[in-house]
Amino acid sequence: MNIALLGPPGAGKGTQAQRICHEFNLAHLSSGDVLRAEKMAGTPQGLRIRDFIDKGMLVPDDLMIQLMLEKILALPGGFVLDGFPRTVPQARALTDLLHDALRPLSLVLNFVVNPRVLSHRFEGRRICPVCLSVYHVDSMPPRVAGVCDNDGHELLIREDDRPEVVRQRIELYQTSTGPLIAYYAQLGILKTIDAGGSVDDVSVVVLDKIRRHFAQS
Ligand code: AP5
């Protein structure tokens, strides 16, 4: 079972990816987490990546494809990709790689959320700078305000969650990632998810869609 998640920034892809992986015993690979880890490592490549992420721009396709394809091939079994692919060249490179490896994508879930709901999600998001766990001050608060449940580190606001950067990310999503919806619809593996409800409500819909899809195929 190999699944990819599409959806605008803040749609809840990372949150639902964790639940899908837990339910179906899959590996979770988030391109944002891969890039943030590179950025924190402070290598020349990490510094280059930081310039793109902090401005809300996409990391160039050649670098992204090089970083992600190797990691995807190394995954031992079924997986959920969150944030990759994000452009048509990335999608084509992924299709070719998985075709050659006889591990094609079986399902792509497209998360759709009203923009007003999205801005509330950005405003309240907090992340642990060490283990990268994601919280929300209202909908997914930590046990102690401002502190990571897993390792006790102080939670931070993501640099790219500033309103002006968020605007840029959403615009880029529409122009660069929007065409992927047609790309995967044409392959016959796209399903749409109304992701505007609570975390638990969206999970019920997502897990049910996945079960039905695999029961029919
Ligand atoms: P990335 O980290 O992938 O960011 P994104 O796609 O913009 O998605 P987000 O992480 O913002 O949101 P999400 O949908 O995962 O939502 P989450 O679950 O956190 O990428 C960051 C940057 O890296 C990009 O801008 C780009 O520069 C670069 N990049 C990454 N991939 C790339 C690629 N392939 N090519 C080029 N560049 C790339 O939820 C959001 C908040 O809402 C959380 O606080 C959560 O607790 C809360 N929440 C979630 N679901 C719900 C719900 N149902 N109800 C209430 N609250 C909810």
Side-chain angles (χ1 to χ4, degrees):
M1 192 186 282
N2 300 325
I3 299 172
L5 306 183
L6 299 182
K13 302 179 295 296
T15 302
Q16 295 300 331
Q18 289 188 347
R19 293 186 172 210
I20 298 168
C21 290
H22 181 260
E23 181 71 17
F24 299 105
N25 193 25
L26 303 173
H28 176 198
L29 188 61
S30 151
S31 55
D33 286 351
V34 168
L35 294 171
R36 280 183 284 278
E38 289 279 334
K39 177 180 144 176
M40 278 194 286
T43 58
Q45 178 163 278
L47 295 176
R48 184 170 170 230
I49 287 170
R50 186 185 66 186
D51 277 348
F52 290 104
I53 297 186
D54 290 357
K55 289 182 191 142
M57 293 161 64
L58 291 183
V59 173
D61 282 334
D62 54 348
L63 175 53
M64 229 30 245
I65 289 169
Q66 177 211 320
L67 270 174
M68 292 298 291
L69 293 195
E70 199 181 310
K71 289 194 163 48
I72 293 167
L73 270 192
L75 295 170
F79 54 77
V80 176
L81 300 179
D82 150 22
F84 184 89
R86 228 177 179 101
T87 64
V88 171
Q90 291 178 19
R92 291 202 177 116
L94 178 67
T95 302
D96 291 347
L97 175 94
L98 295 178
H99 176 265
D100 291 348
L102 303 178
R103 299 169 71 186
L105 274 185
S106 16
L107 180 61
V108 176
L109 298 177
N110 178 32
F111 285 45
V112 177
V113 185
N114 179 306
R116 274 200 310 272
V117 174
L118 281 185
S119 51
H120 175 255
R121 292 192 186 167
F122 284 117
E123 284 160 17
R125 175 159 56 186
R126 302 291 181 271
I127 63 159
C128 173
V130 178
C131 73
L132 303 178
S133 296
V134 177
Y135 299 88
H136 190 280
V137 292
D138 299 324
S139 58
M140 285 189 21
R143 284 193 294 274
V144 177
V147 177
C148 180
D149 290 347
N150 299 328
D151 56 26
H153 282 92
E154 185 187 351
L155 300 179
L156 303 177
I157 297 176
R158 253 168 64 171
E159 187 64 29
D160 60 346
D161 275 353
R162 288 176 288 131
E164 67 277 17
V165 181
V166 164
R167 266 196 301 279
Q168 157 89 354
R169 288 166 61 201
I170 291 177
E171 267 175 42
L172 261 181
Y173 175 77
Q174 280 152 1
T175 53
S176 302
T177 312
L180 287 191
I181 294 164
Y183 177 87
Y184 284 117
Q186 215 166 26
L187 295 182
I189 54 173
L190 186 81
K191 293 226 182 295
T192 301
I193 301 285
D194 177 352
S198 71
V199 174
D200 287 344
D201 287 350
V202 175
S203 284
V204 169
V205 174
V206 165
L207 299 180
D208 185 55
K209 274 226 162 132
I210 295 174
R211 277 190 209 102
R212 282 169 190 266
H213 179 80
F214 288 100
Q216 284 163 6
S217 56

